[in-house]
Amino acid sequence: MKDKLQKIKDDAVAAIKASEGLGALNDVRVNFLGKKGVLTSVLKGMKDVAPEDRPAVGQMVNEAREAIENLIEDTKKKMEAAELEKQLEDEVIDVTLPAKKSICGHRHPNIITLEEVENIFIGMGYEVVEGPEVEYDYYNFEALNIPANHPAKDEQDTFYINDKIVLRTQTSSVQARIMEQGKLPIRILSPGRAFRSDEVDATHSPSFHQIEGLVIDKGITFADLKGTLEEFAKKLYGEDTKVKFRPHHFPFTEPSAEVDVTCFKCKGKGCRFCKNSGWVEILGCGMVHPNVLRMSGIDPEVYQGFAFGVGLERITLFKYEIDDMRLLYENDTRFLRQF
């Protein structure tokens, strides 16, 4: 048995020295030390060895295994060192060559504006909430006092998945979801993507972003709405900004209004940007319609509220004096690097 183990050891040493790479060395390890290797077969034959000789034979096998393992490990380290040395010689770095320029990304102008708006309203005690972009017709229309025969439900304006599911046309659907939870008072801001069947041009896109605000509490009046939006406008466009409310109609608010601010380019004097009016329209708003409150399980005799909605792209275009909405989506780095 001793002669047999010595021969196995000698064969292993010869095979290790003849190995020309790490792959060949691993083959040697498997042939001699693997589950079906030569030494393993010797251990499996221990049952044929006399019981009194088994301890000595076992010790010899372990010594042979240890010697082979040590030699393989030493040879492996030498091979790895040699390969690294060769790689360093082959991959010479010319330190005189100009370095590759590292291009670092940054926030999109829409995101910069959105974060600024969120921070303004968070400072006024609002909570930012989100909702699904694929929405039920009920939350997108009916819960907002838009019945089945309303023009806004025309398929020319809305992307329908089926007769009950749409791509939301406004983030007001989040307000309906929050109101029906019955956790009052409510003071939320709901930004997100919305979809409408519009042709792409300088001011329209089938995919755009809205920021909706909602406040529900006891004793809320139109004066609270005016004060909130005036504070928002001053924080966003400057303390000298003035706000003007014009009567309008929205099915989910009554009374309703559109809000203009003094042109931040000419400060109200009149210019090309504001079409010489001195004012720029930024959003729509109003007091939450009693029907909307009732459908959400809120008693309009006890609670009142206001809501407002602004297009994120709209205020981004105004803020940075961009004249074409498509620039925000074309991913032209020459444009985006300016921000």
Side-chain angles (χ1 to χ4, degrees):
M1 177 60 73
K2 184 175 181 181
D3 293 339
K4 182 178 180 180
L5 289 173
Q6 185 61 45
K7 185 177 184 311
I8 291 173
K9 183 178 178 182
D10 292 341
D11 291 344
V13 170
I16 291 170
K17 290 181 177 180
S19 300
E20 296 183 354
L22 291 172
L25 185 64
N26 186 61
D27 291 339
V28 173
R29 183 187 63 79
V30 173
N31 291 337
F32 286 90
L33 305 178
K35 291 182 178 180
K36 297 181 180 180
V38 179
L39 271 180
T40 305
S41 64
V42 173
L43 285 173
K44 289 180 179 178
M46 289 286 285
K47 62 181 182 295
D48 300 326
V49 178
E52 62 273 13
D53 296 332
R54 287 177 185 173
V57 173
Q59 183 177 354
M60 287 189 289
V61 172
N62 288 335
E63 289 174 354
R65 172 182 287 276
E66 185 177 355
I68 295 172
E69 285 178 344
N70 290 340
L71 183 59
I72 288 175
E73 189 61 30
D74 291 342
T75 304
K76 180 181 178 182
K77 289 180 180 178
K78 291 177 182 178
M79 286 182 175
E80 289 175 343
E83 285 190 4
L84 179 60
E85 185 68 25
K86 186 176 184 304
Q87 183 180 4
L88 292 174
E89 290 178 0
D90 294 341
E91 299 178 5
V92 177
I93 299 174
D94 186 350
V95 295
T96 64
L97 289 174
K100 292 181 179 179
K101 187 175 181 180
S102 177
I103 300 176
C104 188
H106 56 81
R107 294 177 302 164
H108 189 277
N110 264 353
I111 299 301
I112 296 172
T113 304
L114 175 60
E115 290 180 355
E116 186 175 353
V117 172
E118 287 180 347
N119 289 334
I120 291 172
F121 282 100
I122 288 172
M124 289 192 279
Y126 284 64
E127 177 187 2
V128 178
V129 297
E130 296 182 351
E133 294 179 359
V134 180
E135 185 59 277
Y136 287 107
D137 177 276
Y138 172 78
Y139 290 111
N140 195 76
F141 292 118
E142 293 181 29
L144 299 175
N145 201 35
I146 302 176
N149 59 353
H150 197 280
K153 298 190 69 173
D154 193 300
E155 290 188 4
Q156 297 300 314
D157 299 323
T158 307
F159 291 107
Y160 280 85
I161 307 299
N162 56 41
D163 59 342
K164 294 184 178 179
I165 300 176
V166 302
L167 296 183
R168 67 180 180 188
T169 60
Q170 55 206 359
T171 56
S172 304
S173 57
V174 180
Q175 300 177 12
R177 287 178 172 272
I178 295 297
M179 283 191 290
E180 74 173 9
Q181 294 176 10
K183 297 178 181 179
L184 300 169
I186 297 170
R187 188 175 281 104
I188 63 167
L189 194 72
S190 56
R193 191 186 300 272
F195 308 86
R196 292 181 188 174
S197 185
D198 285 332
E199 294 290 337
V200 177
D201 59 30
T203 56
H204 295 86
S205 171
S207 175
F208 58 97
H209 297 79
Q210 270 197 336
I211 307 171
E212 299 271 348
L214 174 70
V215 172
I216 303 291
D217 204 347
K218 295 178 180 178
I220 296 296
T221 68
F222 203 94
D224 297 307
L225 170 59
K226 291 181 68 176
T228 298
L229 295 182
E230 183 175 5
E231 180 69 12
F232 163 62
K234 288 180 181 294
K235 293 292 185 183
L236 189 65
Y237 297 120
E239 290 299 322
D240 58 345
T241 302
K242 295 180 181 179
V243 177
K244 179 173 70 174
F245 289 77
R246 290 181 288 105
H248 196 68
H249 169 72
F250 298 110
F252 33 83
T253 54
E254 180 61 38
S256 305
E258 286 188 335
V259 179
D260 300 339
V261 297
T262 47
C263 178
F264 26 83
K265 190 172 180 66
C266 67
K267 304 301 180 183
K269 296 177 182 178
C271 65
R272 179 189 64 83
F273 195 75
C274 62
K275 299 178 181 178
N276 294 314
S277 69
W279 298 91
V280 176
E281 179 190 333
I282 61 167
L283 58 84
C285 65
M287 300 300 292
V288 179
H289 199 291
N291 289 347
V292 175
L293 294 174
R294 291 191 189 95
M295 282 187 283
S296 298
I298 299 173
D299 187 351
E301 299 297 326
V302 179
Y303 288 93
Q304 299 78 40
F306 63 78
F308 56 87
V310 56
L312 175 59
E313 285 82 2
R314 186 175 185 82
I315 55 177
T316 300
L317 296 179
F318 288 158
K319 184 176 178 63
Y320 295 110
E321 300 183 21
I322 303 169
D323 57 8
D324 195 324
M325 181 177 178
R326 290 169 290 193
L327 291 169
L328 297 174
Y329 303 124
E330 291 175 347
N331 292 328
D332 189 332
T333 55
R334 294 172 300 176
F335 169 77
L336 295 175
R337 275 198 299 266
Q338 299 177 60
F339 305 92

